[in-house]
């Protein structure tokens, strides 16, 4: 919506504020409008590859795949073909749209942050198994040189700040949540099967043959086959099933069976009644992992906003260096031409030698300025390449100069004509830091519930049921052994392993019990400390969120001021440059008529060079602040038509459409003076 120019007039900063109602209260005060809920990063979940690492490998039809390693796709270290397409006649002709697109595909900061999406999936997979979380880095990756993304660049709006809007490297909230993940240990949800196979052969000398049937040595050959199944559940329940088997062969005449088969079965159920009870406690890691996954998506969107803004800053720095180099060339051409004219006049005796020395000195200064400008341009070109390319070892690419083909226009952004409260509200909705802070507070609240549960004593109810069976072949020495004691009967009937296994499950020899295990830590100081700390960390998170609201409000309003000031500065610099060009043109005409001096012409040339430098720097400041405002409002991706899913994959098929750009134009020739004043800038 357009507003009149009068509406854009700055109000005196010392004028008293008119009474107004609160538009965006964030403190939860009843009766006042609240800040809007942040818009979640969509779609969920972003992935750089086609593999969903939160699901793991399918158990069927090949269960053995669970025990094979996973090889993550190798990183692409080469450049995309689009970069080669921009290389023409040994030069790289680069538009801002091309630069942003190449950064989305090639920039290492984005590529490193992209892998965090899959890392967060692995944490979700661990949580589904009942394991603790390893965490994932969600801080800004800021290893691209140049183009530091600050809220307001030098020369921006009133009170310009250099604090970054991205919270680089601070993670989701800037807090180290040491209690996150503490509390009662959740049950292991993945079933575990353990087994033991053993064969033991033992020969043992006998010191008393009376009890060994007269044998001096007894051997026992034992084969053991044991298995156990264990699984936990979200309710705080654990089930353990044990099945043991043994086969013993011996020459001991006192043994009833040889070989002897023995089987034992037992099923045990344990249920936490206080500490560790319920799905909320045992499933909390899954909820936290899902929140962390959303935070990672949001952090990736924040990384895109940061890096795109950084690339824009680098691009406008390149434009400034390119235009500065051209301005220095024009200045050297003018001073060189003046020196040539002076030498001709010196030869015919119409000019003093000192004027030639003065113009020669100016040529030397202009040459030095041109060399410095060319060096800066080459460096800016190199900075631009490292931001949009992965491999600079190609000598043709490394040596090719980068020619920027876009210039910034002075058209007003829609954000400039929005009310301050409306723009702040939009920033509240879009800003990924607020989204991350809100999700992080949800994790804090989950941790608080776990720590509160961790204060309780441990009371576990358990019960088990089992049975056992014994069978085997009757020992041939059994009858003789019984005869020694005057017995004629008592040797068991021969049977097989099936008899032993059947007796285990048919309640022939049952074994069952129920009970309670109670553990009460006296004083309970460790749990008290963690529970209190979890509350403190929640309060820190709440204050951090309020601080974000305040920072974003100030930065957004300051961003509006910056564009207003920058546009006025560009207009003033353009007028000063036009005046300097007209003054130089007039002074040169007077000089050719003999009405001026070399010193006056050189002074006007220096004035023009200074005004051109001012125009270049003020235009660059406007371009950077223009991009910074979009980053603050966090609508850069929508405004440029950047598909976040394509950016997550690293293959951007459609180039971004960046509004407000113009083609480069040569400096206009000095206009003749007119009595009609020029129209003021809009």
């Amino acid at each position: 919506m357009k507003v009149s120019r009068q509406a854009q007039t700055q109000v005196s900063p010392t004028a008293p504020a008119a009474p107004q109602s609160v538009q965006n209260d964030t403190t939860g005060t009843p009766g006042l409008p609240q800040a809007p809920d942040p818009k979640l990063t969509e779609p969920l979940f972003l992935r750089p590859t086609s593999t969903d690492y939160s699901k793991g490998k399918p158990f069927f039809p090949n269960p053995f795949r669970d025990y094979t390693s996973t090889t993550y796709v190798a990183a692409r270290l080469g450049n995309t073909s689009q970069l080669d397409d921009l290389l023409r006649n040994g030069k790289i002709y680069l538009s801002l749209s091309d630069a942003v697109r190449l950064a989305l595909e090639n920039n290492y900061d984005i590529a490193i942050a992209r892998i965090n999406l899959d890392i967060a999936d692995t944490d979700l997979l661990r949580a589904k198994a009942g394991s603790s979380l390893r965490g994932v880095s969600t801080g800004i990756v800021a290893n691209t040189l140049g183009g530091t993304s600050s809220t307001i660049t030098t020369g921006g709006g009133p009170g310009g700040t250099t604090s970054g809007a991205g919270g680089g490297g601070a993670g989701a909230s800037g807090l180290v949540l040491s209690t996150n993940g503490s509390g009662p240990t959740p049950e292991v949800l993945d079933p575990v099967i353990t087994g033991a196979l053993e064969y033991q052969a033992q020969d043992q000398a006998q010191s008393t043959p009376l009890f060994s049937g007269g044998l001096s040595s007894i051997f026992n050959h034992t084969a053991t086959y044991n298995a156990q199944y264990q699984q936990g559940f979200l309710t705080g329940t654990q089930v353990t099933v044990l099945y043991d088997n043994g086969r013993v062969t011996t020459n001991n005449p006192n043994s009833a069976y040889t070989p002897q088969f023995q089987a034992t079965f037992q099923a045990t159920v344990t249920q936490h009644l206080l500490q560790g009870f319920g799905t909320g406690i045992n499933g909390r890691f899954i909820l936290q992992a899902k929140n962390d996954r959303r935070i990672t998506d949001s952090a990736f969107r924040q990384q895109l906003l940061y890096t795109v803004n950084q690339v824009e800053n680098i691009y406008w720095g390149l434009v400034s260096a390119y235009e500065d180099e051209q301005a220095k060339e024009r200045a050297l051409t003018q001073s060189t031409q003046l020196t040539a004219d002076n030498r001709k006049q010196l030869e015919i005796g119409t000019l003093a030698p000192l004027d030639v020395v003065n113009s020669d000195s100016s040529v030397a200064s202009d040459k030095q300025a041109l060399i410095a400008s060319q060096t800066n341009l080459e460096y800016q070109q190199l900075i631009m390449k490292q931001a949009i390319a992965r491999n600079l070892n190609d000598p043709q690419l490394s040596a090719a100069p980068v020619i920027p083909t876009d210039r910034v226009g002075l058209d007003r952004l829609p954000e400039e004509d929005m009310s301050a409260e409306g723009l702040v509200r939009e920033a509240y909705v879009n800003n990924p830091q607020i989204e991350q802070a809100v999700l992080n507070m949800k994790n804090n609240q989950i941790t608080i519930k776990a720590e509160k549960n961790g204060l309780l004593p441990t009371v576990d109810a358990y019960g088990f049921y089992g049975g056992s069976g014994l069978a085997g072949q009757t020992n041939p020495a059994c009858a003789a052994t019984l005869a020694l004691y005057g017995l004629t009967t008592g040797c068991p009937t021969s049977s097989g392993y099936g008899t032993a296994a059947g007796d285990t499950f048919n309640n022939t020899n049952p074994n069952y019990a129920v009970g309670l295990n109670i553990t009460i830590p006296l004083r309970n100081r460790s749990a008290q400390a963690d529970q209190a700390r979890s509350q403190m960390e929640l309060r820190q998170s709440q204050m951090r969120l309020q601080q974000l609201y305040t920072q974003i409000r100030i930065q957004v309003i300051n961003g509006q001021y910056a564009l207003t000031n920058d546009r006025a500065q560009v207009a003033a610099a353009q007028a000063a440059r036009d005046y300097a060009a007209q003054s130089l043109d007039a002074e040169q005409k007077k000089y050719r008529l003999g009405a001026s001096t070399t010193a006056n012409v050189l002074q006007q040339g220096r004035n023009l060079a200074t005004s051109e430098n001012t125009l270049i720097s003020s235009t660059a400041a406007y371009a950077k602040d223009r991009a910074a405002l979009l980053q603050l409002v966090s609508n850069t991706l929508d405004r440029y038509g950047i598909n976040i899913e394509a950016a997550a994959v690293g293959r951007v098929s459609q180039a971004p459409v960046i509004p407000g750009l113009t083609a480069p134009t040569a400096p206009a020739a000095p206009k003749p003076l007119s009595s009609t004043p020029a129209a003021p800038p809009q």
Side-chain angles (χ1 to χ4, degrees):
M1 179 182 69
K2 295 290 184 181
V3 295
S4 63
R5 197 166 65 86
Q6 287 80 4
Q8 295 294 323
T9 303
Q10 292 288 341
V11 179
S12 171
T14 60
Q20 295 181 1
S21 61
V22 176
Q23 300 295 321
N24 285 306
D25 180 73
T26 60
T27 60
T29 304
L32 293 177
Q34 301 303 303
D37 293 331
K39 180 177 67 176
L40 297 178
T41 302
E42 298 289 350
L44 292 174
F45 294 118
L46 299 171
R47 290 190 175 91
T49 62
S50 58
T51 303
D52 184 355
Y53 290 94
S54 69
K55 294 182 178 179
K57 298 175 181 177
F59 188 77
F60 295 105
N62 181 10
F64 296 103
R65 290 188 60 194
D66 290 344
Y67 312 104
T68 60
S69 63
T70 297
T71 301
Y72 194 70
V73 59
R76 173 177 57 83
L77 301 180
N79 302 317
T80 54
S81 59
Q82 184 192 356
L83 186 57
D84 295 331
D85 296 338
L86 300 177
L87 187 62
R88 299 191 301 272
N89 300 323
K91 296 182 180 180
I92 299 174
Y93 293 90
L94 187 69
S95 67
L96 181 56
S97 176
D98 290 331
V100 171
R101 179 179 179 182
L102 287 170
L104 294 175
E105 294 180 339
N106 294 329
N107 186 270
Y108 276 114
D109 286 352
I110 295 178
I112 293 171
R114 188 178 288 132
I115 297 179
N116 285 335
L117 301 172
D118 282 338
I119 292 177
D121 275 345
T122 63
D123 242 14
L124 182 55
L125 182 62
R126 284 180 58 87
K128 291 178 180 178
S131 298
S132 61
L133 307 182
R134 296 192 181 279
V136 56
S137 173
T138 56
I140 290 294
V141 184
N143 296 323
T144 299
L145 301 177
T148 300
S149 179
S150 58
T151 302
I152 299 298
T153 57
T154 302
T161 173
T162 58
S163 62
S173 66
L175 295 176
V176 179
L177 300 178
S178 58
T179 61
N180 192 9
S182 57
T185 303
E187 294 295 329
V188 178
L189 304 179
D190 277 2
V192 177
I193 296 177
T194 58
L197 302 176
E198 181 183 272
Y199 178 79
Q200 179 183 5
Q202 181 184 32
D203 288 336
Q204 186 171 5
Q206 300 298 308
S207 61
T208 307
L210 177 63
F211 298 103
S212 59
L215 299 177
S216 61
S217 176
I218 291 179
F219 70 83
N220 291 292
H221 294 180
T222 306
T224 304
Y225 315 93
N226 298 335
Q228 177 178 293
Y229 177 91
Q230 188 175 51
Q231 182 176 3
F233 298 90
L234 290 176
T235 55
T237 308
Q238 185 182 86
V239 174
T240 303
V241 179
L242 176 68
Y243 188 58
D244 291 348
N245 297 276
R247 181 183 186 275
V248 180
T249 302
T250 181
N251 64 346
N252 190 341
N254 293 320
S255 176
Y257 295 110
T258 182
Q260 173 181 292
F261 302 102
Q262 186 172 8
T264 303
F265 160 77
Q266 182 173 297
T268 304
V269 178
T270 303
Q271 174 64 54
H272 300 304
L273 299 181
L274 292 179
Q275 186 178 129
F277 173 79
T279 58
I281 297 300
N282 292 279
R284 70 184 188 275
F285 285 168
I286 298 177
L287 297 178
Q288 287 181 328
K290 289 181 178 179
N291 288 337
D292 289 347
R293 187 61 174 84
R294 286 184 173 271
I295 289 175
T296 307
D297 280 4
S298 177
F300 182 72
R301 179 164 66 96
Q302 183 182 351
Q303 180 72 56
L304 293 179
L305 292 170
Y306 178 89
T307 303
V308 168
N309 180 262
Q310 193 176 21
V311 169
E312 288 189 83
N313 287 344
I314 294 174
Y315 188 87
W316 297 125
L318 174 62
V319 170
S320 297
Y322 185 79
E323 292 187 342
D324 182 71
E325 193 271 344
Q326 290 182 319
K328 296 298 190 293
E329 284 187 351
R330 291 193 298 269
L332 179 59
T333 300
Q334 292 171 355
S335 61
T336 301
Q337 181 62 45
L338 179 62
T339 297
D341 294 341
N342 286 349
R343 290 191 178 280
K344 292 180 181 179
Q345 294 186 47
L346 178 63
E347 291 176 359
I348 61 177
T350 58
L351 192 69
L354 186 60
D355 287 334
V356 176
V357 174
N358 192 3
S359 60
D360 286 346
S361 175
S362 179
V363 168
S365 297
D366 289 344
K367 285 182 178 179
Q368 186 275 332
L370 177 59
I371 291 174
S373 180
Q374 288 174 337
T375 302
N376 179 57
L377 176 58
E378 290 178 359
Y379 179 71
Q380 291 297 327
Q381 290 172 338
L382 184 60
I383 291 294
M384 187 79 256
K385 291 176 188 177
Q386 62 91 35
I388 63 175
R390 291 198 182 182
N391 192 338
L392 295 179
N393 292 328
D394 183 351
Q396 186 177 12
L397 174 64
S398 180
V402 181
I403 310 300
T405 61
D406 284 329
R407 300 295 184 270
V408 67
L410 295 179
D411 297 336
R412 298 185 64 84
L413 292 175
E415 287 77 8
E416 294 182 77
D417 296 326
M418 293 177 62
S419 67
E421 289 298 333
L423 195 59
V424 168
R425 187 177 184 86
E426 184 175 349
Y428 285 170
V429 171
N430 294 331
N431 193 282
Q433 287 181 282
I434 292 180
E435 177 189 6
Q436 294 164 36
V438 170
L439 290 170
N440 188 68
M441 285 176 57
K442 291 182 179 180
N443 281 347
N444 289 148
Q445 292 165 351
I446 293 173
T447 300
I448 285 176
K449 292 180 180 179
E451 295 293 356
K452 184 177 180 180
N453 182 266
L455 290 169
L456 301 175
T458 301
V459 179
D460 294 342
Y462 69 90
F464 67 81
Y465 173 82
S468 61
L470 185 66
Q473 298 296 316
T474 303
N475 192 339
C478 179
T481 301
L482 290 177
L484 293 176
Y485 299 99
L487 301 175
T488 58
T489 60
C491 290
T493 304
S494 296
S495 56
Y497 171 76
T499 301
D503 289 347
T504 301
F505 295 100
N506 63 11
N507 206 33
T508 299
N509 304 301
N511 178 24
Y512 51 86
V514 294
L516 287 176
N517 286 326
I518 302 175
T519 302
I520 302 176
L522 299 180
R523 304 192 68 180
N524 208 21
R525 289 185 290 184
S526 177
Q528 290 179 38
D530 286 346
Q531 191 274 332
R533 178 165 179 160
S534 66
Q535 290 279 343
M536 299 170 189
E537 289 170 351
L538 175 63
R539 299 298 179 247
Q540 284 184 316
S541 296
Q542 291 172 337
M543 288 188 289
R544 171 57 179 156
L545 178 59
Q546 294 303 316
Q547 186 182 46
L548 277 175
Y549 281 128
T550 302
Q551 289 175 339
I552 290 172
R553 169 179 291 275
I554 294 175
Q555 291 170 347
V556 166
I557 296 175
N558 201 23
Q560 277 189 315
Y561 291 157
L563 288 189
T564 301
N565 293 353
D566 290 344
R567 184 178 286 103
Q569 187 171 354
V570 171
Q574 182 65 56
R577 187 266 169 200
D578 292 343
Y579 170 75
Q582 291 173 335
S583 298
L584 176 60
D585 182 64
E587 201 67 37
Q588 288 174 334
K589 290 178 180 178
K590 291 167 60 179
Y591 179 76
R592 286 192 290 268
L593 295 175
S596 182
T597 64
T598 299
N600 289 341
V601 174
L602 292 176
Q603 181 60 48
Q604 294 300 333
R606 286 191 288 270
N607 292 344
L608 176 59
T610 301
S611 62
E612 286 187 331
N613 288 340
T614 302
L615 177 60
I616 291 170
S617 60
S618 60
T619 303
Y622 166 76
K624 293 179 180 180
D625 285 347
R626 182 175 176 270
L629 181 59
L630 295 182
Q631 184 197 9
L632 282 172
V633 183
S634 302
N635 62 355
T636 305
L637 305 183
D638 294 335
R639 180 63 63 84
Y640 293 175
I642 296 175
N643 186 297
I644 192 171
E645 290 181 278
V649 176
R651 291 188 296 271
V652 182
S653 58
Q654 186 174 356
V657 180
I658 302 177
L661 303 179
T662 63
T665 57
K671 298 179 181 179
L673 297 177
S674 172
S675 60
T676 303
Q682 296 296 321

